[in-house]
Short mmCIF file of all heavy atoms in Angstrom, two decimals:
data_model
loop_
_atom_site.label_atom_id
_atom_site.label_comp_id
_atom_site.label_asym_id
_atom_site.label_seq_id
_atom_site.Cartn_x
_atom_site.Cartn_y
_atom_site.Cartn_z
N ALA A 1066 28.08 222.85 127.62
CA ALA A 1066 28.18 221.45 127.24
C ALA A 1066 28.42 221.36 125.74
O ALA A 1066 28.09 222.28 124.99
CB ALA A 1066 26.91 220.70 127.63
N PRO A 1067 28.98 220.24 125.26
CA PRO A 1067 29.24 220.09 123.83
C PRO A 1067 27.99 220.30 123.00
O PRO A 1067 26.93 219.73 123.28
CB PRO A 1067 29.75 218.66 123.70
CG PRO A 1067 30.36 218.38 125.04
CD PRO A 1067 29.48 219.08 126.02
N GLY A 1068 28.09 221.14 121.98
CA GLY A 1068 26.98 221.39 121.08
C GLY A 1068 25.90 222.31 121.64
O GLY A 1068 24.87 222.51 120.98
N LYS A 1069 26.11 222.87 122.81
CA LYS A 1069 25.12 223.73 123.43
C LYS A 1069 25.68 225.12 123.68
O LYS A 1069 26.90 225.33 123.68
CB LYS A 1069 24.62 223.13 124.74
CG LYS A 1069 23.97 221.77 124.60
CD LYS A 1069 23.45 221.25 125.92
CE LYS A 1069 22.29 222.08 126.43
NZ LYS A 1069 21.71 221.52 127.69
N GLU A 1070 24.79 226.06 123.89
CA GLU A 1070 25.19 227.42 124.20
C GLU A 1070 25.67 227.53 125.64
O GLU A 1070 25.27 226.74 126.51
CB GLU A 1070 24.03 228.39 123.97
CG GLU A 1070 23.58 228.51 122.52
CD GLU A 1070 24.63 229.17 121.67
OE1 GLU A 1070 25.19 230.21 122.09
OE2 GLU A 1070 24.91 228.66 120.57
N ARG A 1071 26.52 228.51 125.88
CA ARG A 1071 26.97 228.76 127.23
C ARG A 1071 25.79 229.27 128.06
O ARG A 1071 25.08 230.19 127.65
CB ARG A 1071 28.11 229.78 127.22
CG ARG A 1071 28.82 229.92 128.55
CD ARG A 1071 30.10 230.73 128.40
NE ARG A 1071 31.04 230.11 127.47
CZ ARG A 1071 32.27 230.54 127.24
NH1 ARG A 1071 32.73 231.61 127.88
NH2 ARG A 1071 33.04 229.92 126.37
N GLU A 1072 25.57 228.69 129.22
CA GLU A 1072 24.43 229.04 130.04
C GLU A 1072 24.83 229.48 131.43
O GLU A 1072 25.85 229.06 131.98
CB GLU A 1072 23.45 227.86 130.13
CG GLU A 1072 24.00 226.65 130.87
CD GLU A 1072 22.98 225.55 131.02
OE1 GLU A 1072 21.83 225.71 130.53
OE2 GLU A 1072 23.31 224.50 131.61
N PHE A 1073 23.99 230.30 132.00
CA PHE A 1073 24.20 230.83 133.33
C PHE A 1073 24.05 229.75 134.39
O PHE A 1073 23.17 228.89 134.30
CB PHE A 1073 23.19 231.95 133.59
CG PHE A 1073 23.11 232.40 135.01
CD1 PHE A 1073 24.13 233.16 135.57
CD2 PHE A 1073 22.03 232.08 135.80
CE1 PHE A 1073 24.07 233.59 136.89
CE2 PHE A 1073 21.94 232.50 137.11
CZ PHE A 1073 22.96 233.25 137.65
N VAL A 1074 24.91 229.80 135.39
CA VAL A 1074 24.84 228.87 136.51
C VAL A 1074 24.58 229.60 137.82
O VAL A 1074 23.61 229.30 138.53
CB VAL A 1074 26.14 228.05 136.63
CG1 VAL A 1074 26.09 227.15 137.86
CG2 VAL A 1074 26.36 227.22 135.37
N ALA A 1075 25.44 230.55 138.16
CA ALA A 1075 25.31 231.26 139.43
C ALA A 1075 26.08 232.56 139.36
O ALA A 1075 27.01 232.71 138.57
CB ALA A 1075 25.84 230.40 140.59
N SER A 1076 25.71 233.51 140.21
CA SER A 1076 26.40 234.79 140.24
C SER A 1076 26.32 235.40 141.63
O SER A 1076 25.45 235.04 142.43
CB SER A 1076 25.83 235.77 139.20
OG SER A 1076 24.44 235.97 139.39
N VAL A 1077 27.22 236.33 141.89
CA VAL A 1077 27.28 236.99 143.18
C VAL A 1077 27.70 238.44 142.97
O VAL A 1077 28.55 238.74 142.12
CB VAL A 1077 28.26 236.26 144.14
CG1 VAL A 1077 29.66 236.19 143.55
CG2 VAL A 1077 28.27 236.91 145.52
N SER A 1078 27.09 239.34 143.73
CA SER A 1078 27.40 240.75 143.62
C SER A 1078 28.78 241.05 144.20
O SER A 1078 29.40 240.20 144.86
CB SER A 1078 26.35 241.58 144.35
OG SER A 1078 26.36 241.31 145.74
N TRP A 1079 29.25 242.26 143.98
CA TRP A 1079 30.60 242.61 144.42
C TRP A 1079 30.79 242.52 145.93
O TRP A 1079 31.90 242.27 146.40
CB TRP A 1079 31.03 243.99 143.89
CG TRP A 1079 30.12 245.14 144.26
CD1 TRP A 1079 29.29 245.26 145.34
CD2 TRP A 1079 30.01 246.38 143.53
NE1 TRP A 1079 28.66 246.47 145.33
CE2 TRP A 1079 29.09 247.18 144.23
CE3 TRP A 1079 30.59 246.87 142.37
CZ2 TRP A 1079 28.73 248.47 143.79
CZ3 TRP A 1079 30.24 248.15 141.93
CH2 TRP A 1079 29.32 248.93 142.64
N SER A 1080 29.74 242.73 146.67
CA SER A 1080 29.82 242.66 148.12
C SER A 1080 29.66 241.24 148.65
O SER A 1080 29.97 240.98 149.82
CB SER A 1080 28.76 243.55 148.75
OG SER A 1080 27.46 243.06 148.50
N GLY A 1081 29.16 240.35 147.81
CA GLY A 1081 28.86 239.01 148.25
C GLY A 1081 27.53 238.87 148.94
O GLY A 1081 27.16 237.76 149.35
N SER A 1082 26.78 239.96 149.05
CA SER A 1082 25.53 239.94 149.78
C SER A 1082 24.35 239.44 148.96
O SER A 1082 23.33 239.05 149.53
CB SER A 1082 25.21 241.33 150.32
OG SER A 1082 25.04 242.26 149.26
N SER A 1083 24.47 239.45 147.64
CA SER A 1083 23.38 239.02 146.77
C SER A 1083 23.86 237.94 145.83
O SER A 1083 24.95 238.04 145.26
CB SER A 1083 22.84 240.19 145.96
OG SER A 1083 22.32 241.20 146.80
N THR A 1084 23.04 236.92 145.65
CA THR A 1084 23.37 235.82 144.75
C THR A 1084 22.18 235.48 143.88
O THR A 1084 21.04 235.82 144.19
CB THR A 1084 23.80 234.57 145.52
OG1 THR A 1084 22.74 234.16 146.40
CG2 THR A 1084 25.06 234.83 146.33
N ASP A 1085 22.46 234.79 142.79
CA ASP A 1085 21.41 234.30 141.91
C ASP A 1085 21.85 232.96 141.35
O ASP A 1085 23.05 232.72 141.17
CB ASP A 1085 21.15 235.30 140.78
CG ASP A 1085 19.87 234.98 140.01
OD1 ASP A 1085 18.98 234.32 140.57
OD2 ASP A 1085 19.76 235.42 138.85
N TYR A 1086 20.87 232.10 141.08
CA TYR A 1086 21.16 230.76 140.59
C TYR A 1086 20.20 230.38 139.48
O TYR A 1086 19.03 230.77 139.49
CB TYR A 1086 21.03 229.73 141.71
CG TYR A 1086 22.00 229.91 142.84
CD1 TYR A 1086 21.67 230.68 143.95
CD2 TYR A 1086 23.26 229.31 142.80
CE1 TYR A 1086 22.57 230.85 144.99
CE2 TYR A 1086 24.16 229.47 143.84
CZ TYR A 1086 23.81 230.25 144.93
OH TYR A 1086 24.71 230.41 145.96
N ALA A 1087 20.70 229.60 138.56
CA ALA A 1087 19.81 228.99 137.58
C ALA A 1087 18.91 227.99 138.29
O ALA A 1087 19.30 227.36 139.27
CB ALA A 1087 20.62 228.28 136.50
N ASP A 1088 17.68 227.86 137.80
CA ASP A 1088 16.74 226.94 138.42
C ASP A 1088 17.28 225.52 138.47
O ASP A 1088 17.00 224.77 139.41
CB ASP A 1088 15.41 226.96 137.67
CG ASP A 1088 14.63 228.24 137.88
OD1 ASP A 1088 14.91 228.96 138.86
OD2 ASP A 1088 13.72 228.51 137.07
N SER A 1089 18.07 225.15 137.48
CA SER A 1089 18.57 223.79 137.39
C SER A 1089 19.58 223.44 138.48
O SER A 1089 19.81 222.25 138.73
CB SER A 1089 19.20 223.56 136.01
OG SER A 1089 20.28 224.46 135.79
N VAL A 1090 20.17 224.44 139.11
CA VAL A 1090 21.18 224.18 140.14
C VAL A 1090 20.78 224.68 141.51
O VAL A 1090 21.48 224.43 142.49
CB VAL A 1090 22.55 224.78 139.75
CG1 VAL A 1090 22.97 224.31 138.37
CG2 VAL A 1090 22.51 226.30 139.82
#
């Protein structure tokens, strides 16, 4: 967001079997 640092939202492993999310989303 403007004036803020880049923050993590979501991610997925190469196989698609594992995911992670920021608490906010």
Side-chain angles (χ1 to χ4, degrees):
K1069 300 183 67 176
E1070 294 293 314
R1071 191 169 300 186
E1072 66 177 0
F1073 168 73
V1074 176
S1076 57
V1077 59
S1078 64
W1079 57 26
S1080 67
S1082 62
S1083 299
T1084 59
D1085 193 23
Y1086 297 91
D1088 288 342
S1089 59
V1090 307

